[in-house]
Amino acid sequence: MADVALVPWEQNAERAPEGVRAVVYDGEGEPPAEAADAVLYVVPYGRGQRLDVMAGMPRLRAVQLLTAGYEHALAALPDGVALHNGRGLHDASTAEHAVALMLAAQRELPRWALDQTARRWAPHYTRSLAGSRVLIVGHGSIGAAIERRLLPFEIEVVKVARRARPEQGVHPVADLPRLLPGADAVVLVAPHTPETEGLIGARELALLPDDALVVNVGRGPLLDTGALLAEKGRVRAALDVTDPEPLPADHPLWDAPGVLVTPHVAGGSAAFYPRARRFVDAQLRRWAAGEPLANEVRAGG
Amino acid sequence: MADVALVPWEQNAERAPEGVRAVVYDGEGEPPAEAADAVLYVVPYGRGQRLDVMAGMPRLRAVQLLTAGYEHALAALPDGVALHNGRGLHDASTAEHAVALMLAAQRELPRWALDQTARRWAPHYTRSLAGSRVLIVGHGSIGAAIERRLLPFEIEVVKVARRARPEQGVHPVADLPRLLPGADAVVLVAPHTPETEGLIGARELALLPDDALVVNVGRGPLLDTGALLAEKGRVRAALDVTDPEPLPADHPLWDAPGVLVTPHVAGGSAAFYPRARRFVDAQLRRWAAGEPLANEVRAGG
């Protein structure tokens, strides 16, 4: 008898390998009756992940998330069930948005959008990305994806991670005070941990040259919002994540000078879906072949 | 006695080689008295280039423009004076803006800018650049600069130029009808000639798939504005150049669905200035050494 897997997309069901019976559950409403037999549950992607439904899956052995973050799932995970995350699936989308934010800030795309609404043709010279030195803070797979995309823009990339990796030219985060005064832009893509909270605060912002740009596609609390506001536009920012998040309508960040905000959309673009579907296909093939699934973050029992 | 050269920037005057006396004229007001002895005139960059002042330079032997276009200067050029253009100086700036326009269109940056003005946090999934097939029409130095910047975005680039160059994978423009149905985006970066006027018209737009994106950083008349409007948003566009240009306040392109407009600012960013100053330095060194100047477009007498 084939193992039942709950998958979020019809395409995965169509391409399921022999030995796996893939049943679609997209997270809307209650799971199908087959959930009672499910051994593998691929949690549908979206805001409000349906983790509660695992209570109705007594035969469950493995859960696959499509997000990189998995802390939220640990509490709901039944004993003995393995957990796998979606590390890497959002890299292309997030890296693309990071570059989009940098170009938007340098080439003043928000201004042109507002001018278009006002039917106003008013060209002027802008900043550029070319010729700048960019610090990428957090050099995991998304940081590397951002670096690859930035390099052809005639810029210099300086890589910073928790620990130095001299053979890859990666500086330790302790070097930030020495590196910030020479940076035209700083891209934050580190995870949110006690160590990284407030990584860029008043002291770090003060070290940046006038008109430098801070880009945050990591997590809101990496950057101290109050300290950024206190800069009053001396240092600019392009933020896909904020602290607090979502940003309340009356928050001063919305119209702070030199600040550009997008509402946490870096990872959520069309670039994600083909990658996520291919990854689910590959996990089902591994399951059918009796191989270990990729991206395990908690072992089963 | 040193040869007098009129240069637009103080930096060029400071770094002038022995044998050249570089005098600054930035285009504001009338040229300095030394213009009467000038043998080389570097025309200051900006809207409204001062070509009329050549009439007061009886010893002039060479003119250097900082624009790639030079047709406008031919009529004003005295007999026997050589003309040199600024080919290449705008490549980095223009290529960067082309990518900025593509990312803005795919990742909906204008929407987020308007939402920010309205203090509205309303995330939703967007298109992406990753995974798309991009036609670059006009594969000179700017086209190649756009290609270099696009390739790391996990896309496929298809190159199109006036003539086929099979060894470089460049298709002839005659292949467009065959290539357009498979394109997710088309970037226009060709010059404006009788051959390229209306290159993308009703017939070509009709061949593009739904939701394709046309980007124009070349010249407005390459794209038939009326034909684009007739598509009513089925094909989207991101345009730095328009026809007519500047776009009058009452023109329907301003609020056409799926159309993003920037006011001919692709070449005019900070990326231009260091490159232009280095180029003028190099031209002065060539002059002092008795070598031919680069970028000659009309020989002297």
Side-chain angles (χ1 to χ4, degrees), chain A residues 14-255:
Chain A
E14 287 164 6
R15 299 182 294 222
E18 212 169 317
V20 171
R21 187 166 155 236
V23 179
V24 176
Y25 173 53
D26 66 3
E28 293 293 317
E30 292 313 300
E34 292 94 332
D37 293 320
V39 292
L40 173 62
Y41 173 36
V42 181
V43 182
Y45 179 70
R47 295 163 210 272
Q49 295 182 9
R50 291 301 299 273
L51 297 169
D52 57 308
V53 300
M54 292 192 288
M57 304 180 191
R59 306 185 57 192
L60 197 60
R61 285 162 54 201
V63 169
Q64 174 67 55
L65 303 174
L66 299 173
T67 52
Y70 60 88
E71 298 80 0
H72 63 286
L74 289 172
L77 198 71
D79 283 345
V81 173
L83 184 65
H84 304 79
N85 74 353
R87 179 163 44 87
L89 300 180
H90 297 271
D91 290 9
S93 185
T94 302
E96 186 175 302
H97 196 74
V99 179
L101 284 175
M102 298 183 76
L103 289 170
Q106 298 305 90
R107 305 303 296 251
E108 303 192 29
L109 296 179
R111 166 199 286 257
W112 309 131
L114 299 177
D115 276 3
Q116 182 172 351
T117 306
R119 298 170 162 269
R120 206 166 77 96
W121 183 278
H124 77 122
Y125 301 109
T126 68
R127 300 173 187 85
S128 68
L129 193 53
S132 51
R133 182 183 289 148
V134 180
L135 257 58
I136 301 179
V137 181
H139 210 76
S141 64
I142 299 179
I146 294 172
E147 182 189 17
R148 278 197 300 279
R149 285 161 177 76
L150 283 178
L151 283 175
F153 283 90
E154 304 184 18
I155 63 157
E156 182 189 346
V157 166
V158 179
K159 300 178 268 192
V160 181
R162 197 154 39 130
R163 291 190 192 83
R165 282 177 261 153
E167 69 290 352
Q168 296 169 269
V170 177
H171 296 264
V173 79
D175 281 0
L176 271 182
R178 186 172 63 74
L179 296 171
L180 289 168
D184 300 297
V186 181
V187 182
L188 303 175
V189 67
H192 180 200
T193 68
E195 280 174 300
T196 63
E197 185 153 329
L199 184 68
I200 302 295
R203 195 176 69 109
E204 290 74 24
L205 291 171
L207 289 171
L208 283 168
D210 288 357
D211 206 48
L213 176 70
V214 178
V215 178
N216 196 354
V217 291
R219 286 293 178 260
L222 301 183
L223 173 65
D224 182 327
T225 303
L228 175 65
L229 290 170
E231 288 282 339
K232 295 182 191 301
R234 189 192 70 84
V235 168
R236 296 172 299 127
L239 311 173
D240 185 57
V241 290
T242 57
D243 179 22
E245 188 178 312
L247 208 55
D250 61 355
H251 198 284
L253 205 52
W254 282 120
D255 59 0

Side-chain angles (χ1 to χ4, degrees), chain A residues 93 96 107 114 116 119 121 123 125-126 128-130 149 154 246 249 251 254-255 259 261 263 265-266 268-271 275, chain B residues 93 96 107 114 116 119 121 123 125-126 128-130 149 154 246 249 251 254-255 259 261 263 265-266 268-271 275:
Chain A
S93 185
E96 186 175 302
R107 305 303 296 251
L114 299 177
Q116 182 172 351
R119 298 170 162 269
W121 183 278
Y125 301 109
T126 68
S128 68
L129 193 53
R149 285 161 177 76
E154 304 184 18
H251 198 284
W254 282 120
D255 59 0
V259 174
V261 174
V265 292
S269 80
R275 282 162 185 74
Chain B
S93 185
E96 187 176 302
R107 305 304 295 251
L114 299 177
Q116 182 171 353
R119 298 169 160 271
W121 182 278
Y125 300 110
T126 67
S128 68
L129 193 53
R149 284 160 177 76
E154 305 184 17
H251 198 283
W254 283 119
D255 59 0
V259 174
V261 174
V265 291
S269 80
R275 283 163 184 73

Side-chain angles (χ1 to χ4, degrees), chain B residues 95-300:
Chain B
E96 187 176 302
H97 196 73
V99 179
L101 284 174
M102 298 182 77
L103 288 170
Q106 299 304 90
R107 305 304 295 251
E108 302 192 30
L109 296 180
R111 166 198 287 257
W112 309 132
L114 299 177
D115 276 3
Q116 182 171 353
T117 305
R119 298 169 160 271
R120 207 166 77 95
W121 182 278
H124 77 123
Y125 300 110
T126 67
R127 300 173 188 87
S128 68
L129 193 53
S132 50
R133 181 182 291 148
V134 180
L135 258 57
I136 300 179
V137 181
H139 210 75
S141 64
I142 299 179
I146 294 172
E147 183 189 18
R148 278 196 301 279
R149 284 160 177 76
L150 283 178
L151 283 175
F153 283 89
E154 305 184 17
I155 64 158
E156 183 190 344
V157 166
V158 179
K159 300 177 269 192
V160 181
R162 196 154 38 130
R163 290 189 192 83
R165 282 177 261 154
E167 71 289 353
Q168 296 168 269
V170 177
H171 296 264
V173 80
D175 280 2
L176 271 182
R178 186 172 63 75
L179 296 171
L180 289 168
D184 300 296
V186 180
V187 182
L188 304 175
V189 66
H192 179 200
T193 66
E195 278 176 300
T196 63
E197 185 153 329
L199 185 68
I200 303 295
R203 196 177 68 110
E204 289 75 23
L205 290 171
L207 289 171
L208 282 168
D210 288 357
D211 206 48
L213 176 70
V214 178
V215 178
N216 195 353
V217 291
R219 287 291 180 261
L222 300 183
L223 173 63
D224 182 326
T225 303
L228 175 66
L229 290 169
E231 288 281 338
K232 294 180 192 303
R234 189 192 69 84
V235 168
R236 295 172 299 127
L239 311 173
D240 185 57
V241 290
T242 58
D243 180 23
E245 188 178 312
L247 208 55
D250 61 355
H251 198 283
L253 205 53
W254 283 119
D255 59 0
V259 174
L260 161 58
V261 174
T262 60
H264 203 149
V265 291
S269 80
F272 164 73
Y273 292 97
R275 283 163 184 73
R277 290 191 186 109
R278 282 197 300 270
F279 179 71
V280 171
D281 286 344
Q283 293 286 66
L284 294 184
R285 281 196 304 271
R286 289 186 194 103
W287 185 277
E291 295 167 9
L293 298 189
N295 287 12
E296 185 179 272
V297 291
R298 198 192 86 174

